Amino acid sequence: MRTEDVLAAIATGLWRWDNASGIVSLDAEAARLLGLPAEPVQLSEAAARSRFHPVDWNEIDGVVNLAVAEGTLAEARLRIMDEHGRVIRTVRSRSKPLIEGNDYLLVGTLQEVAEQQPGTAARTPVTGDWRRSREAFLLDAGRALAEARSTAEVLRVAASLSMPGFSPDGLAVFGVAGDRLTVIGHHGHSEGDEGPFSSMSLDTDYPAAEVARTGRAIYLPTPEEYLRRFPVTWPLAQRFGRRSWAFVPLVVAGRTMGAWMAAFKHPVAFTPDERSVLTTVARMLAQALARAGVAESERELSLGLQRTMMPVLGPGIPGIQVAARYVPTGGGLQVGGDWYDMIRLPGGTSRTGGHGAGRIALVIGDVQGHDVRAAGLMGQLRIALRAYASEGHRPDAVLARASRFLYGITDGDDDGEGDAGPRFATCLYLEVDLETGTVDIARAGHPDPAVRMNDGTVLLRPTAGGLPLGIDPDTDYPTTRLTLEPGETLMICTDGLLETGGHDLDSGWERVRALLESHDGQDLEQLADGLVEAVHGPGSHHTTGPLADRREDDIAVLLLSRRPGGALPEAPRRTLMTIAQAEPERIAEAREQVRQLLHDWGDGDQLDSAVLMVSEMVTNVLVHTDGDALLVAEVACAEKARRLRVEVSDSSDELPHKRHPGEMASSGRGLVLMEMLADAWGVDPRGEGKAIWFELNEPDSGRGCCG
């Protein structure tokens, strides 16, 4: 017969506690004794601790440390608790610490022992003396109540408290609302038992009502004492079969906010020590309830602020689909400076002269800070932007006016708490022509937009921009134009979506890009949820709960997709960007745009050649002309495979000439490179200026023209 079978026959289980890893291993019998399914299991230290009475756990911790120090056996009696905080059995543990460096492995047995009988012995701690158990209990209770985040959690903690030597079997928490006493929560009673007590006048001849009126505790050690002092309400209490009652005031900042009842099925004398424990617990309970009440009020206020400040995107606009999410950072009122908005612009004609669907503006921004002041500034700035947009101003004028507005209301501002000086805001303002799909963008220090094309290609679209709003009242905001084809999805977001979780803007963008590429682009609501969950996990688009406290920054994300009436057209991949004379650093962005456009190109050497030729073409414009370079790159279907065409145009009429640079020459190789690397190339004069272009044909990969 196996040793485990012999031990199980005498209700003895084996356990191992690895102090280094924090893992507790139990055999089947030990698991059964701890109230778990009778099968071997490994638990974390926290999960194992939850099965023991908190007082006993503190005791065994000291016993084990003493055994480690003295090299002896650790022996203790432990009460096992169920998930409702009730004691289900008592076990004896005998274990031997095996020391390994600074850590130890605890190997021992658990054996069920008979419960102590009610009476004086039952009201003494299982291990240790009364004073040590009381102090350990109060420390554990205070820690648990301090961690409770809502009224419901506070009540659950209160229900699980098992006081040393005289644990109550019935608890109730009463609150004062005007001149009425109400039951906030209870434990140890059946559903509906609170009915007679759920709402009573403070003048009622009931112990909790008197405690709420006077702020003085009432202790009733016997049923006879209850009947003598409160004969009118004694019949309500008699049916529960209790023998002793304690009604203790819940006091916060000198104000009695309610009463706490602890009822016992065994007689309790309410000695000074016992009254001291009850009074201390009541104080901690009152503080925890007050904190939870403030937190719940703040959550309600934050939800109200969010509903007020965040726009409703419906009703739907024909031809487009829009989805948005706002997730505030944890802590405080859970409101901050991030926001988004969608504005119907005046007039029924597009800026290109067409008639039809009209125009909308999309706005997303981030005011510096995560506090109430940031939320207030965000609200004012959002209203100002709406007003400027509704007046019909161009995107650059809207942001210029908004910057002056924010500078004016924050310059020299001091909130009296050391937070002086102006605050700034980043912002992205997009004017969308719903008929043509053209998007005019003005950017104030904000992350660039991204576009998901019909074939799943995702491009971060570099846009010209200016300083964040509110820094310099005279800043200019150049406008960038792109075209959103039917079926394509535009994403704009705040930096919280990108930089949360230890990411910077670059690595965070790669994470978001992968999600955009894997999505089918059809259900924007699902995509919006997926973007938020990729950062914080499932359900994190809600604003309350433990996840809220782990958020590093506010998140706002807005998605827009053009919806064609029929099947999606076969549109080529296309990107366009302007590189100004004063921005040579954007040549690197041009190279990256080409790499993103050719992310699935079959020939890696051709991709490198394309990037090299683009760099040469753009650099030549900036070096040899006085104008800006306009880059247009397009991947389209040819006869059997795909073709890349790249065109760089400028305003200079001077045509380039192929030269034969010497070995030490620093220029003159651009046309030579195109002649060597491109399948076709040329220079086309334009009405004003010229365009240099090249083409590359992708080798036949066997997957079809645009596969």
Side-chain angles (χ1 to χ4, degrees):
M1 180 177 290
R2 297 186 310 158
T3 303
E4 291 85 349
D5 296 331
V6 175
L7 292 174
I10 57 174
T12 301
L14 296 175
W15 70 329
R16 292 164 55 92
W17 175 12
D18 187 348
N19 175 255
S21 65
I23 299 298
V24 179
S25 303
L26 309 171
D27 69 2
E29 182 61 15
R32 184 192 69 80
L33 291 174
L34 264 64
L36 300 170
E39 55 188 30
V41 66
Q42 286 189 336
L43 304 175
S44 66
E45 183 176 331
R49 176 176 181 169
S50 68
R51 313 303 299 185
F52 294 98
H53 191 288
V55 173
D56 300 345
W57 179 271
N58 284 303
E59 291 291 338
I60 195 175
D61 191 57
V63 171
V64 169
N65 289 332
L66 183 62
V68 169
E70 297 180 350
T72 58
L73 288 177
E75 299 187 51
R77 292 165 67 95
L78 307 164
R79 286 168 290 184
I80 307 302
M81 315 284 287
D82 64 11
E83 61 270 22
H84 302 295
R86 296 188 294 262
V87 176
I88 56 175
R89 63 175 58 89
T90 301
V91 299
R92 182 177 65 179
S93 170
R94 302 181 76 243
S95 53
K96 174 68 175 178
L98 304 177
I99 302 173
E100 300 175 355
N102 295 326
D103 299 306
Y104 58 84
L105 180 68
L106 197 65
V107 181
T109 61
L110 292 175
Q111 185 176 31
E112 187 169 3
V113 297
E115 296 278 353
Q116 290 178 301
Q117 297 300 315
T120 304
R123 301 207 309 273
T124 60
V126 175
T127 57
D129 64 299
W130 159 265
R131 190 171 301 279
R132 288 178 59 202
S133 295
R134 181 187 67 179
E135 291 173 354
F137 160 75
L138 291 176
L139 284 172
D140 196 76
R143 185 183 305 110
L145 287 170
E147 293 173 353
R149 302 177 184 277
S150 65
T151 299
E153 288 185 26
V154 171
L155 295 175
R156 282 196 296 271
V157 171
S160 67
L161 296 178
S162 182
M163 285 172 277
F166 66 116
S167 295
D169 75 298
L171 300 169
V173 177
F174 299 87
V176 177
D179 61 350
R180 310 292 295 178
L181 190 71
T182 60
V183 177
I184 299 176
H186 61 88
H187 175 70
H189 306 85
S190 301
E191 186 175 354
D193 284 348
E194 76 279 7
F197 310 94
S198 59
S199 180
M200 62 176 67
S201 170
L202 285 178
D203 295 331
T204 305
D205 185 30
Y206 180 66
E210 182 174 322
V211 168
R213 290 195 309 268
T214 65
R216 293 191 295 269
I218 294 176
Y219 298 98
L220 304 171
T222 64
E224 291 76 19
E225 180 70 6
Y226 198 126
L227 174 62
R228 183 185 69 80
R229 295 187 59 179
F230 302 95
V232 174
T233 53
W234 164 246
L236 297 176
Q238 183 180 15
R239 61 192 178 97
F240 296 108
R242 306 272 166 55
R243 305 292 302 278
S244 299
W245 300 261
F247 292 86
V248 190
L250 300 174
V251 180
V252 176
R255 181 180 66 87
T256 302
M257 57 179 292
W260 175 49
M261 181 198 77
F264 305 82
K265 282 198 172 181
H266 58 267
V268 177
F270 297 119
T271 64
D273 274 335
E274 292 167 342
R275 294 189 185 192
S276 174
V277 170
L278 290 167
T279 301
T280 303
V281 171
R283 289 173 182 166
M284 293 188 297
L285 181 59
Q287 294 288 342
L289 287 171
R291 285 194 301 271
V294 170
E296 288 167 351
S297 297
E298 289 178 344
R299 282 193 288 270
E300 286 297 318
L301 176 58
S302 69
L303 289 174
L305 284 171
Q306 290 175 38
R307 284 191 291 266
T308 300
M309 294 179 176
M310 292 297 110
V312 178
L313 298 181
I317 301 174
I320 67 167
Q321 183 182 356
V322 183
R325 294 292 182 272
Y326 170 65
V327 184
T329 187
L333 286 180
Q334 296 194 15
V335 292
D338 288 24
W339 88 97
Y340 63 85
D341 206 348
M342 184 177 76
I343 308 166
R344 295 296 297 266
L345 296 177
T349 60
S350 67
R351 292 204 187 275
T352 58
H355 294 269
R359 297 173 297 122
I360 63 170
L362 301 179
V363 190
I364 197 163
D366 181 0
V367 175
Q368 174 197 10
H370 308 292
D371 51 17
V372 175
R373 181 169 175 242
L377 289 174
M378 177 267 285
Q380 295 178 75
L381 185 57
R382 175 172 168 256
I383 293 171
L385 280 161
R386 271 188 161 267
Y388 299 141
S390 298
E391 290 174 354
H393 296 294
R394 296 276 304 179
D396 53 344
V398 169
L399 288 194
R401 284 166 167 77
S403 184
R404 286 194 290 271
F405 169 80
L406 185 60
Y407 182 86
I409 64 173
T410 62
D411 185 32
D413 188 18
D414 191 335
D415 62 8
E417 297 180 0
D419 187 16
R423 288 200 184 189
F424 61 84
T426 66
C427 185
L428 197 62
Y429 181 94
L430 297 82
E431 182 182 297
V432 183
D433 189 313
L434 300 177
E435 182 179 6
T436 64
T438 59
V439 182
D440 292 318
I441 305 170
R443 185 171 63 89
H446 201 83
D448 286 308
V451 173
R452 183 192 186 277
M453 299 179 178
N454 291 325
D455 64 355
T457 300
V458 177
L459 294 182
L460 188 65
R461 303 304 295 262
T463 56
L467 293 173
L469 307 179
I471 292 180
D472 182 351
D474 297 321
T475 299
D476 293 326
Y477 296 96
T479 301
T480 302
R481 172 169 289 187
L482 61 86
T483 300
L484 192 67
E485 300 293 343
E488 292 184 343
T489 298
L490 175 76
M491 184 202 78
I492 56 177
C493 67
T494 56
D495 57 4
L497 183 69
L498 304 175
E499 295 184 316
T500 298
H503 288 272
D504 58 21
L505 285 174
D506 292 332
S507 62
W509 159 240
E510 291 303 323
R511 173 179 57 181
V512 170
R513 180 212 292 276
L515 186 64
L516 290 171
E517 289 177 340
S518 64
H519 194 266
D520 61 12
Q522 296 300 312
D523 187 344
L524 288 197
E525 295 294 336
Q526 180 185 5
L527 177 57
D529 287 340
L531 288 168
V532 174
E533 290 172 4
V535 177
H536 289 302
S540 56
H541 51 278
H542 301 297
T543 58
T544 59
L547 278 171
D549 297 314
R550 296 198 294 271
R551 296 174 190 138
E552 302 167 32
D553 197 0
D554 303 338
I555 289 175
V557 59
L558 184 58
L559 302 168
L560 169 72
S561 181
R562 291 185 69 198
R563 294 307 185 198
L568 289 177
E570 287 192 8
R573 295 181 194 170
R574 194 167 186 268
T575 186
L576 179 150
M577 66 178 296
T578 300
I579 301 93
Q581 280 284 332
E583 298 177 316
E585 67 277 3
R586 298 195 70 200
I587 296 176
E589 295 179 2
R591 292 194 292 263
E592 182 60 26
Q593 281 285 287
V594 173
R595 287 195 177 277
Q596 292 180 20
L597 199 69
L598 302 180
H599 67 94
D600 59 351
W601 196 259
D603 189 329
D605 290 337
Q606 280 189 328
L607 190 154
D608 292 337
S609 297
V611 171
L612 176 59
M613 287 187 285
V614 164
S615 186
E616 284 287 339
M617 294 162 66
V618 174
T619 301
N620 283 341
V621 171
L622 299 188
V623 170
H624 298 295
T625 76
D626 296 328
D628 301 336
L630 175 63
L631 168 69
V632 179
E634 180 177 285
V635 177
C637 290
E639 294 180 0
K640 293 184 178 180
R642 296 181 298 180
R643 174 180 296 159
L644 167 69
R645 180 182 174 90
V646 177
E647 184 179 283
V648 176
S649 57
D650 62 78
S651 59
S652 173
D653 293 328
E654 183 179 352
L655 299 180
H657 302 283
K658 186 170 69 172
R659 292 183 286 171
H660 300 281
E663 185 177 330
M664 303 300 294
S666 60
S667 63
R669 295 186 175 86
L671 299 185
V672 175
L673 283 174
M674 285 196 289
E675 188 172 68
M676 294 174 56
L677 301 176
D679 292 322
W681 68 277
V683 180
D684 296 339
R686 297 288 169 86
E688 290 185 2
K690 62 183 179 298
I692 307 174
W693 59 270
F694 71 83
E695 292 181 351
L696 289 175
N697 297 317
E698 183 183 25
D700 187 1
S701 61
R703 59 185 176 184
C705 174
C706 293

